[in-house]
Amino acid sequence: MCFSRARLAALPLVFGFAFVSLFAGAAYAGPYEDALAGFTQGSLSDTGDAIQKVVASGNPLAEQVLSALQDGRLMYSAEQKAVYIQTKNGKLLYASTGKPFTGKPPDDIDNVIVNNRLRNLISADLGTLMLMSADPDHRINAAQAVFRSRDLGALPNLEKALAKETDPRVKTALEQARAALILSMPGATQAQKLAAIATVRDRYDLDALALLADIPSRETPPVARAATDAIQAIKTRLAEWDAVQNAWYGISLGSVLMLAAIGLAITFGVMGVINMAHGEMVMLGAYVTFAVQEAIRGYDPALFDYSLVIAIPLAFLFSGFVGILIERSIIRFLYGRPLETLLATWGLSLVLQQAVRTIFGPDNRDVGNPSFMSGAFNLGGITVTYNRFWIVCFALVVFVALIGILRFTRLGLEMRAVTQNRPMAASMGIRTSRIDALTFGLGSGIAGIAGVALSQIDNVSPNLGQSYIIDSFMVVVFGGVGNLWGTFVGSFVLGVANKFLEPYAGAVLGKITILVLIILFIQKRPRGLFALKGRAVEA
């Protein structure tokens, strides 16, 4: 084989470059592998040193190692002097290379143990590493971690990240993190601290309040005064958001009360029947949801997210059928005898509860949330859970649908006629007994789909309905017997009022206060907020 002089002259350069590259790679891998060895010692102090060395190595796997350590997924073998990353599906990776581990795991494999001090260290270092992440959400989370840890060692990386950041959301988070570090920095000037206080104040959250709380006691008067003003501004804003959060909780409770009471309003308004078994119709709807989910889990788990879509019509039909059966077999013989009706339906509620206990047992049943009803989102300064959000939307849809039925269908027209004047409706050829049965069935069916909604936020048990029956009667009486708009307004008014009273009076005393206020209100307006003429009123 022949080589030209030019190629021969280039060979030393090629070998030299290869040698330098190999040496550089070894130098890069060496500190990282040496750092990993610290995790195999089983000592908290050695683990702390290893964390610092892993971060300092600059290895691309450092973030993955710290994340695994934070989640309890970093494993080690003292015998093999090896460290492994356990993935979320249980597989092992070599921490040194990130490649999958094959074969049988070592007999002495164990988790790397950390304490609270190391967890705080991990959070701070992981935040520093993630400041340069390609994912904006990761960078925001990293900035938040630096803000909370106030690790001055993160300042150089924070400055680099801030200099190249273009996303406004991320830039704001980075500026707030830098402001937190400046307030913790001994050599910061007064002007820097004043600017930092203004930046931190604009977070208007508890983290900012905690950071600013100890500043007035150790700073110059101008800085202390600025911190005090910022603290007051944050407290005012937090109080405003607390009021908004309570209002949302009240709306959420009001939607639940409306779902539970709206069927009772129809039954009470048209038929004048005090149905103490109405809560058990709600309970039956919740158990239909449980039965549907159990069937889906057994036959096709992929359909679980559609379980509520399947359960809603089934709960309506089943509870409605039970309601019609109750009206035809018991209620029809007790019209005009309210005390006997109350006692009969109360006894029936006990029978239904015991029947459910016999079939399903007395324990609470697990009814899961579909994926679209899991989790929460932040809206300004409040947290909104998806299950409550969708229940509010569902309650509004049910209300609009019921208004449509009463306004634009023959059944609704006949129901309104019977409500306003039963003898005249009968003389016009309306079969009032049939309307009574269908009305009772409609009210019970709506209670059933209320049970579907309640299964997503409350325990499904034989006593589920008892938690809402008294509140439902209060809503109906307060809003106006038989008036759907009264039920709508009354449920939300009582829900919001209850949530605003709870922080001051407690849950039990708050309910008692609401009950006393309703009694006083009914003395002034016996027909409720929206009076409606009907048999129940005329009687």
Side-chain angles (χ1 to χ4, degrees), residues 94-162:
Y94 287 106
S96 57
T97 62
K99 295 181 180 179
F101 172 82
T102 56
K104 181 182 176 182
D107 293 334
D108 67 332
I109 192 169
D110 199 0
N111 293 86
V112 178
I113 304 300
V114 296
N115 57 13
N116 288 335
R117 181 184 67 82
L118 292 181
R119 289 189 185 94
N120 294 332
L121 181 63
I122 293 167
S123 297
D125 289 338
L126 192 57
T128 301
L129 287 173
M130 293 175 66
L131 286 172
M132 301 297 180
S133 173
D135 189 335
D137 289 334
H138 286 180
R139 299 200 298 276
I140 290 176
N141 291 336
Q144 300 288 4
V146 172
F147 183 94
R148 295 187 183 97
S149 67
R150 299 196 283 282
D151 180 13
L152 291 176
L155 186 57
N157 289 330
L158 188 65
E159 294 284 6
K160 292 178 184 177
L162 192 55

Side-chain angles (χ1 to χ4, degrees), residues 3-237:
F3 293 95
S4 67
R5 289 186 176 181
R7 291 182 178 180
L8 287 172
L11 283 176
L13 294 175
V14 172
F15 284 115
F17 180 75
F19 178 77
V20 171
S21 299
L22 181 63
F23 180 80
Y28 182 73
Y32 175 67
E33 291 179 348
D34 291 343
L36 290 179
F39 292 122
T40 66
Q41 304 302 313
S43 164
L44 290 175
S45 61
D46 289 329
T47 299
D49 293 339
I51 292 171
Q52 297 288 0
K53 291 177 181 178
V54 164
V55 175
S57 72
N59 193 288
L61 292 172
E63 180 182 335
Q64 193 173 355
V65 168
L66 291 189
S67 295
L69 184 59
Q70 187 178 50
D71 298 339
R73 295 183 291 103
L74 193 67
M75 320 287 288
Y76 77 99
S77 168
E79 181 180 345
Q80 301 291 332
K81 296 296 181 182
V83 181
Y84 311 92
I85 297 172
Q86 185 180 48
T87 63
K88 293 183 179 179
N89 57 10
K91 296 181 179 179
L92 293 179
L93 306 175
Y94 287 106
S96 57
T97 62
K99 295 181 180 179
F101 172 82
T102 56
K104 181 182 176 182
D107 293 334
D108 67 332
I109 192 169
D110 199 0
N111 293 86
V112 178
I113 304 300
V114 296
N115 57 13
N116 288 335
R117 181 184 67 82
L118 292 181
R119 289 189 185 94
N120 294 332
L121 181 63
I122 293 167
S123 297
D125 289 338
L126 192 57
T128 301
L129 287 173
M130 293 175 66
L131 286 172
M132 301 297 180
S133 173
D135 189 335
D137 289 334
H138 286 180
R139 299 200 298 276
I140 290 176
N141 291 336
Q144 300 288 4
V146 172
F147 183 94
R148 295 187 183 97
S149 67
R150 299 196 283 282
D151 180 13
L152 291 176
L155 186 57
N157 289 330
L158 188 65
E159 294 284 6
K160 292 178 184 177
L162 192 55
K164 58 184 290 189
E165 188 57 62
T166 57
D167 189 315
R169 293 186 308 122
V170 181
K171 193 165 188 176
T172 299
L174 292 173
E175 288 173 346
Q176 291 170 349
R178 183 177 62 178
L181 297 184
I182 289 173
L183 290 175
S184 303
M185 189 185 304
T189 65
Q190 180 173 294
Q192 287 177 320
K193 291 183 178 181
L194 290 175
I197 288 173
T199 301
V200 170
R201 180 202 59 204
D202 291 341
R203 287 175 62 98
Y204 289 109
D205 63 2
L206 292 174
D207 289 331
L209 192 62
L211 175 61
L212 297 172
D214 63 339
I215 289 179
S217 63
R218 57 181 174 81
E219 288 293 346
T220 60
V223 175
R225 187 165 52 251
T228 302
D229 293 342
I231 289 171
Q232 188 57 46
I234 292 173
K235 288 182 176 179
T236 301
R237 180 67 64 87

Side-chain angles (χ1 to χ4, degrees), residues 347-537:
L348 180 63
S349 72
L350 299 180
V351 171
L352 291 174
Q353 288 180 44
Q354 190 57 47
V356 169
R357 285 192 183 93
T358 302
I359 298 172
F360 295 100
D363 298 329
N364 295 340
R365 291 298 176 174
D366 177 30
V367 176
N369 295 123
S371 60
F372 66 89
M373 293 187 72
S374 302
F377 64 94
N378 293 324
L379 185 63
I382 67 172
T383 300
V384 179
T385 56
Y386 281 109
N387 57 354
R388 292 277 183 176
F389 172 77
W390 286 115
I391 287 174
V392 171
C393 295
F394 179 67
L396 295 176
V397 169
V398 171
F399 179 78
V400 171
L402 192 55
I403 289 292
I405 290 173
L406 293 179
R407 293 289 181 185
F408 305 112
T409 66
R410 180 180 179 84
L411 174 62
L413 177 64
E414 293 179 347
M415 285 174 58
R416 284 185 286 131
V418 172
T419 301
Q420 293 171 11
N421 195 319
R422 176 177 290 270
M424 182 61 72
S427 67
M428 297 295 294
I430 296 175
R431 296 169 56 191
T432 56
S433 61
R434 173 177 171 272
I435 296 301
D436 287 339
L438 292 178
T439 300
F440 207 91
L442 178 62
S444 299
I446 294 172
I449 61 177
V452 177
L454 289 176
S455 70
Q456 301 300 296
I457 60 173
D458 207 342
N459 294 323
V460 176
S461 68
N463 299 321
L464 174 64
Q466 294 300 305
S467 304
Y468 295 95
I469 185 64
I470 301 300
D471 289 339
S472 297
F473 273 109
M474 285 199 301
V475 167
V476 171
V477 173
F478 175 66
V481 176
N483 191 305
L484 294 186
W485 284 105
T487 302
F488 179 85
V489 174
S491 60
F492 285 105
V493 168
L494 293 184
V496 172
N498 193 64
K499 287 302 177 182
F500 273 97
L501 282 173
E502 274 186 8
Y504 305 101
V508 176
L509 188 57
K511 283 186 177 295
I512 294 174
T513 304
I514 292 292
L515 179 60
V516 171
L517 292 175
I518 289 177
I519 292 172
L520 296 176
F521 177 80
I522 294 302
Q523 288 182 343
K524 296 294 183 181
R525 291 181 63 91
R527 297 185 181 182
L529 284 174
F530 298 89
L532 181 69
K533 290 185 177 181
R535 190 175 82 176
V537 177

Side-chain angles (χ1 to χ4, degrees), residues 295-318:
I296 289 176
R297 286 189 178 108
Y299 293 101
D300 192 355
L303 293 176
F304 187 81
D305 277 351
Y306 301 96
S307 59
L308 296 188
V309 178
I310 300 171
I312 287 172
L314 292 179
F316 178 82
L317 292 174
F318 181 75

